[in-house]
Amino acid sequence: MGIFSRKGKNNATVETESISSKVSRTTTNTTNMQSPPPNKPMNGFSQFPLPSTTNVTLPPPPDPSVEPAAYLKSIHAVRERSRLVYEKAKRNQLTHFDVDLTKFSETAAYVVSIIKRDFAPDYHTIPPHGRWQHFEVGGRPRIDQLLTSWPSKVDARERTRRLLDLFLVSVLLDAGAGTKWSYKSKESGKTYRRSEGLAIASLEMFKAGYFSGDPTEPYQVNAAGLERLSAGQLAIGLQVSDSNPLAGVEGRAGLLSSLAEALHNPEYFGSSQRPGNMLDYLLTHPSTQASSVPIITIPTLWNVLTEGLGSIWPPSRTQIDGVSLGDAWPCSSMPCSSSAQPWEIIVPLHKLTQWLCYSLMAPMTRLMNIQFAGVELLTGLPEYRNGGLFIDTGLLTLKPADAKRGIDAYHHNARVQGQPNMEVVPLFSAEDDVVVEWRALTVGFLDDLLVEVNRLLKLEGPGRLSLAQMLEAGSWK
């Protein structure tokens, strides 16, 4: 469904959303989070283990009547607020989309066909959604190879720290690359594009010590290394040139510079100022069950990402009581009354923070057998590939007035030098009410889609797919 096009403007990243057909979902994607073509799982990769939460007490969400900003920034609020828009969808009472619920079973059947094609009958081998898979493009287990290259004296905790360092920086570099950029691997000689290319580039830069301030310890990311990394050096590492342009190099460098400042927080990132030191914070947190199998709560991890990294993001347009809310937006489809408070019309989505959660859990689980309580709080990612599925199958149709407005915006944008003008599709800015409504619907539909997919696959009990597995194997294809 359409294209995320990121255009450099004043060294910042500007997102626009365009709505098109399945063709653009599968062949012209320029989003920052496309999963690579399916590969059979790596040796030893089993179903993402979800801990039993029977004896784990999760902290409650903040009370929105007392702390509305804290509530809207919490993971709890994403599903709770999106559900209100989704309930309107089931009554076909949306502002911008018509809903044909008779297409829901067809949509589920399509997703099931993709999952069966790539994984039947070994559904338990589907990896959870996350950045790890992007490093495996072409079927090469690069992370396993990286781990093998380190001497045995590097223990499991330090190995995990190193992967957290790598994964966090790789996710932050993973913005839209544009259609002209590619990366030629120095190790294999093969060329990769878009998200996979950025994954391989960030991995090879990590191994070369680009992000480390200590030349004797290249396999780390720390504040000192990021502070000395200029936009020019980043461009060299990403192989950017006049003939191989990459959108937003200055913006990426600025984001890494902001990360360097955030890493000066010893509570989360230790005296060595590394992202990976969040592991030590998480393991010693009072909410973590310290046993032979440590159990960390998702709200605790969420707090590290929202509070520890909150300063790296530009101030949000949406604020409550002067507090920037991040990826949270007013939505006209939210129910409201004359006595409604300002926070009640806002839908929080927090896509990138959830993407970080999904991506950072994998190294901790695989290397240290850390389990996470409250994984069910995470939602399907509200972005164009998941959301595009529901338009491509006819479940959602943009209303005529909005379609015309989007087409007019596309034609206006196409007249700007350097902008794409090949495929005519409705175009909207990221904060447009059309996009906010669409993204909120995506969260709700993905929840119900998971139930139907498991039913069609006849998976029950512990054998059921998790939401993270369905995203990886089905809805994001």
Side-chain angles (χ1 to χ4, degrees):
M1 172 180 186
I3 304 166
F4 261 137
S5 56
R6 288 171 170 78
K7 308 172 183 63
K9 183 179 181 182
N10 299 328
N11 293 333
T13 295
V14 179
E15 289 188 355
T16 57
E17 197 65 86
S18 55
I19 296 176
S20 65
S21 67
K22 187 181 299 180
V23 174
S24 65
R25 283 184 69 228
T26 55
T27 62
T28 62
N29 165 49
T30 60
T31 185
N32 65 326
M33 295 189 298
Q34 178 187 2
S35 292
N39 301 309
K40 282 298 181 181
M42 298 169 288
N43 293 335
F45 208 133
S46 60
Q47 180 176 359
F48 182 55
L50 302 180
S52 169
T53 58
T54 303
N55 298 317
V56 177
T57 301
L58 297 178
D63 183 346
S65 65
V66 179
E67 300 178 280
Y71 169 71
L72 291 172
K73 291 174 67 175
S74 74
I75 181 56
H76 304 78
V78 177
R79 182 172 278 107
E80 290 175 0
R81 306 303 293 166
S82 296
R83 175 64 59 173
L84 298 176
V85 180
Y86 184 51
E87 291 301 323
K88 279 196 170 182
K90 292 193 286 188
R91 300 191 297 270
N92 197 18
Q93 295 177 347
L94 296 172
T95 304
H96 304 290
F97 290 92
D98 290 317
V99 183
D100 183 358
L101 290 177
T102 65
K103 299 290 187 179
F104 182 77
S105 59
E106 180 181 318
T107 303
Y110 171 75
V111 172
V112 165
S113 71
I114 297 299
I115 295 173
K116 285 184 174 180
R117 180 196 69 188
D118 296 335
F119 289 97
D122 303 319
Y123 303 119
H124 67 284
T125 65
I126 297 174
H129 205 33
R131 188 62 166 159
W132 192 303
Q133 281 72 256
H134 290 188
F135 293 115
E136 311 296 334
V137 60
R140 182 179 172 186
R142 293 178 182 83
I143 299 301
D144 284 350
Q145 293 170 350
L146 178 64
L147 292 167
T148 302
S149 72
W150 294 334
S152 58
K153 67 180 182 181
V154 181
D155 63 19
R157 183 172 289 207
E158 173 57 20
R159 288 168 181 263
T160 306
R161 291 191 197 100
R162 292 182 179 188
L163 291 193
L164 292 176
D165 283 352
L166 166 62
F167 280 37
L168 192 141
V169 164
S170 185
V171 167
L172 295 185
L173 287 174
D174 191 21
T179 59
K180 299 178 180 180
W181 178 83
S182 64
Y183 182 82
K184 184 176 181 180
S185 171
K186 296 179 180 178
E187 298 177 359
S188 69
K190 294 183 178 180
T191 299
Y192 303 97
R193 300 178 183 276
R194 300 188 173 96
S195 189
E196 297 88 342
L198 289 165
I200 302 307
S202 62
L203 173 60
E204 295 188 356
M205 291 174 69
F206 175 78
K207 294 164 73 172
Y210 268 76
F211 312 116
S212 172
D214 184 351
T216 67
E217 296 287 350
Y219 300 110
Q220 64 177 5
V221 175
N222 60 17
L226 296 177
E227 286 166 350
R228 74 176 189 183
L229 183 64
S230 68
Q233 290 170 320
L234 181 63
I236 292 172
L238 295 172
Q239 300 177 356
V240 176
S241 65
D242 291 341
S243 60
N244 190 38
L246 174 67
V249 173
E250 292 284 346
R252 292 169 216 264
L255 191 59
L256 294 185
S257 177
S258 296
L259 174 60
E261 294 181 19
L263 292 177
H264 285 276
N265 184 334
E267 179 183 9
Y268 297 128
F269 306 119
S271 60
S272 57
Q273 302 172 344
R274 293 172 55 189
N277 286 335
M278 74 172 72
L279 174 66
D280 303 274
Y281 172 85
L282 292 168
L283 288 175
T284 58
H285 193 273
S287 67
T288 298
Q289 287 197 1
S291 61
S292 58
V293 179
I295 301 178
I296 295 170
T297 72
I298 288 296
T300 302
L301 174 58
W302 187 265
N303 186 68
V304 172
L305 298 178
T306 56
E307 299 302 320
L309 301 180
S311 63
I312 75 175
W313 309 115
S316 169
R317 298 178 182 88
T318 309
Q319 297 186 354
I320 292 290
D321 298 331
V323 178
S324 180
L325 301 179
D327 186 11
W329 311 91
C331 180
S332 64
S333 288
M334 289 294 287
C336 62
S337 64
S338 58
S339 61
Q341 298 299 307
W343 69 268
E344 294 185 72
I345 66 169
I346 296 173
V347 178
L349 298 162
H350 302 312
K351 178 192 70 177
L352 186 56
T353 304
Q354 293 203 72
W355 178 231
L356 280 169
C357 270
Y358 281 123
S359 296
L360 298 181
M361 284 191 293
M364 290 186 272
T365 297
R366 293 193 62 190
L367 273 64
M368 294 189 65
N369 197 30
I370 293 171
Q371 308 296 292
F372 290 87
V375 175
E376 67 278 0
L377 293 174
L378 297 173
T379 73
L381 295 180
E383 48 75 66
Y384 92 103
R385 287 185 72 85
N386 287 321
L389 171 69
F390 303 117
I391 287 184
D392 291 342
T393 58
L395 183 57
L396 295 175
T397 302
L398 193 61
K399 292 185 176 182
D402 289 301
K404 181 181 184 305
R405 180 167 64 90
I407 291 294
D408 289 345
Y410 176 86
H411 284 304
H412 177 78
N413 184 72
R415 290 193 291 269
V416 178
Q417 184 175 2
Q419 298 307 315
N421 56 9
M422 296 292 291
E423 182 183 8
V424 180
V425 292
L427 180 69
F428 304 95
S429 62
E431 72 275 11
D432 193 286
D433 201 54
V434 168
V435 175
V436 178
E437 183 179 81
W438 172 39
R439 295 178 69 202
L441 293 173
T442 299
V443 172
F445 273 120
L446 287 171
D447 279 345
D448 283 358
L449 184 64
L450 175 63
V451 175
E452 183 65 6
V453 164
N454 275 315
R455 187 188 71 81
L456 293 175
L457 289 174
K458 299 180 180 180
L459 299 177
E460 300 178 345
R464 289 177 299 178
L465 296 185
S466 68
L467 182 58
Q469 289 177 298
M470 186 192 73
L471 296 176
E472 180 62 29
S475 64
W476 241 22
K477 294 295 184 183

